[in-house]
């Protein structure tokens, strides 16, 4: 893809901004070349093609940037989050958690093994990354990442050392990695009002309780067997929602998809306050929510929710629907920024490539947001011009606008 005209200066400003993370001049130039390549019209964004785009005779310099050079990918991630907060931040922002697979051959790439990949929809030889995306009315982009390391890796320290995995990196479930992502995001400049995720994360009570203790709203998918506990009793969520009366179901859109509005039947109910957790004057309320397909009524998805006082069913539906934004981020970052086209095998190289690709994608998201804002301003300017239609008595007349600054009518 070609960058839109006029955005070279914005990219230059961003690259100067993050250049402080690269202590040597040569590393800064390599970083700039790498990011420009990720944003450029490169067929497959691997070492050789990125090097060719940068004018290098071999990929050695760019491979050194990823594998051996001294710089902190986590510090760069913090810069990405600060940049996204500045360009896309909104007080009603949503943090979205999900994982994606990276198909790989062999057994030496850090974290690789045969495991289920939602991306492929089957068990494949792959790496799994757990990601956080940030979404607001201004746009959406990826803001954090962790590489999932199966026990087949963390239980073999020699294998880990060969892949440059730190000795202190122990086994962590995907849910535990997700909690780390959320806590980091909450400590960043990103304004976050809500968190959403699929059932792999939503079913974990510890994950939900962490968000409640942080005072952050959530709408999280859960399996139909998920238990709902309150002072009124304990139910499976599917059994609880099966008792919803017909008039509890509303036809609502949870946002636009590729084929237009995503419309479903939704039912929601507020749960009783739990004094031991919520205190005398709770600021949030717990809900249960169900989404039923219009075409296939037996297809029902379920969600527990934790929402600020005053939140409506429409608010909960909107947050539930925002989860698809991370899938759009994965697709765009892979197709446009080479998120999955890396050739590194070692642990530090994975984090470095992924973080640079996130930086590139954040730039594209900020650029798109600015274009939308510019278009809105131009539309508002056009709408604010006085109408040439003027009524005189019972008839309409067209007034002829004067040329700007002359007071002379324009000739037609």
């Amino acid at each position: 893809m070609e960058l839109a005209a006029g955005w070279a200066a914005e990219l230059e400003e961003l690259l100067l901004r993050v250049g402080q993370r690269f202590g040597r001049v040569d590393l800064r130039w390599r970083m700039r070349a790498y990011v420009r390549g990720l944003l450029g019209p490169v067929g497959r964004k691997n070492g050789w093609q990125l090097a060719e785009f940068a004018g290098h005779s071999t990929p050695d310099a760019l491979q050194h940037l990823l594998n051996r050079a001294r710089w902190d990918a986590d510090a760069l991630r913090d810069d990405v989050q600060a940049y996204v907060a500045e360009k896309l931040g909104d007080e009603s922002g949503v943090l979205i958690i999900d994982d994606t697979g990276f198909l790989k051959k062999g057994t030496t790439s850090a974290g690789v093994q045969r495991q289920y990949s939602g991306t492929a929809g089957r068990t494949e030889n792959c790496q799994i990354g757990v990601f956080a995306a940030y979404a607001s009315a201004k746009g959406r982009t990826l803001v954090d990442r962790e590489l999932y390391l199966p026990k087949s890796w963390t239980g073999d320290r020699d294998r880990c050392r060969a892949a440059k995995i730190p000795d202190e990196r122990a086994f962590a479930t995907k849910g535990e990695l997700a909690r780390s992502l959320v806590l980091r995001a909450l400590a960043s400049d990103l304004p976050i009002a809500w968190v959403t995720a699929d059932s792999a994360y939503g079913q974990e009570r510890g994950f939900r309780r962490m968000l409640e203790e942080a005072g952050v709203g959530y709408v999280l998918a859960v399996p139909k067997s998920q238990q709902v506990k309150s002072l009124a009793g304990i139910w499976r969520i599917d059994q609880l929602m099966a008792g919803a009366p017909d008039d509890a179901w509303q036809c609502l859109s949870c946002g636009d998809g590729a084929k237009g509005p995503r419309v479903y039947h939704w039912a929601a109910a507020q749960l009783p306050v739990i004094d031991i957790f919520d205190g005398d004057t709770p600021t949030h309320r717990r809900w249960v929510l169900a989404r039923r397909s219009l075409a296939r009524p037996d297809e029902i998805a379920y969600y527990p929710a934790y929402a600020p006082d005053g939140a409506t069913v429409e608010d909960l539906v909107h947050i539930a629907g925002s989860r698809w934004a991370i899938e759009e981020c994965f697709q765009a970052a892979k197709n446009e920024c080479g998120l999955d086209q890396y050739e590194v095998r070692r642990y530090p190289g994975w984090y470095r490539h992924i973080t640079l690709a996130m930086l590139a994608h954040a730039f594209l998201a900020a650029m798109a947001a600015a274009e939308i804002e510019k278009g809105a301003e131009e539309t508002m300017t056009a709408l604010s011009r006085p109408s040439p239609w003027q009524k005189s008595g019972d008839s309409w007349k067209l007034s002829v606008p004067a040329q700007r600054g002359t007071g002379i009518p324009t000739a037609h």
Side-chain angles (χ1 to χ4, degrees), residues 400-411:
V400 181
Q403 288 184 340
R404 185 176 300 175
T406 67
I408 302 171
T410 306

Side-chain angles (χ1 to χ4, degrees), residues 100-117:
T100 189
F102 301 91
L103 300 182
K104 291 294 168 184
K105 297 179 180 178
T107 60
T108 58
S109 296
V112 72
Q113 74 168 22
R114 284 189 60 79
Q115 53 194 326
Y116 180 78
S117 165

Side-chain angles (χ1 to χ4, degrees), residues 9-51:
E10 295 290 337
L11 178 59
E12 182 67 20
E13 180 181 337
L14 175 60
L15 295 178
L16 285 172
R17 177 174 176 170
V18 302
Q20 62 177 321
R21 302 301 184 185
F22 302 83
R24 292 169 36 182
V25 173
D26 62 324
L27 291 184
R28 288 196 287 273
W29 282 108
R30 292 174 188 182
M31 177 274 294
R32 294 160 68 91
Y34 199 86
V35 174
R36 288 180 181 278
L38 293 176
L39 291 168
V42 179
R44 180 165 178 79
K45 295 174 181 181
N46 56 30
W48 276 102
Q49 293 195 35
L50 289 175

Side-chain angles (χ1 to χ4, degrees), residues 130-166:
V130 181
F131 284 80
Y134 183 79
S136 73
K138 300 176 183 178
R140 67 282 306 271
T141 190
L142 301 172
V143 293
D144 207 348
R145 70 291 175 264
E146 285 289 355
L147 179 63
Y148 171 68
L149 297 178
K151 290 182 179 178
S152 63
W153 275 85
T154 56
D156 187 339
R157 299 318 302 177
D158 290 338
R159 191 184 188 193
C160 285
R161 292 188 184 106
K164 301 297 183 183
I165 297 171

Side-chain angles (χ1 to χ4, degrees), residues 157-233:
R157 299 318 302 177
D158 290 338
R159 191 184 188 193
C160 285
R161 292 188 184 106
K164 301 297 183 183
I165 297 171
D167 286 342
E168 62 270 18
R169 177 66 194 269
F171 175 74
T173 66
K174 294 171 190 171
E176 289 168 338
L177 296 177
R179 284 183 232 178
S180 297
L181 297 179
V182 172
L183 290 174
R184 281 202 295 261
L186 293 177
S188 75
D189 294 333
L190 292 165
I192 298 168
W194 299 89
V195 173
T196 187
D198 70 13
S199 60
Y201 305 96
Q203 66 183 328
E204 293 197 13
R205 173 59 185 158
F207 186 68
R208 301 195 304 274
R209 187 62 193 148
M210 176 195 70
L211 295 173
E212 293 176 8
E213 290 174 349
V216 179
Y218 63 70
V219 180
L220 301 168
V222 293
K224 65 181 181 180
S225 59
Q226 183 72 39
Q227 283 193 334
V228 176
K229 300 179 182 180
S230 80
L231 297 179

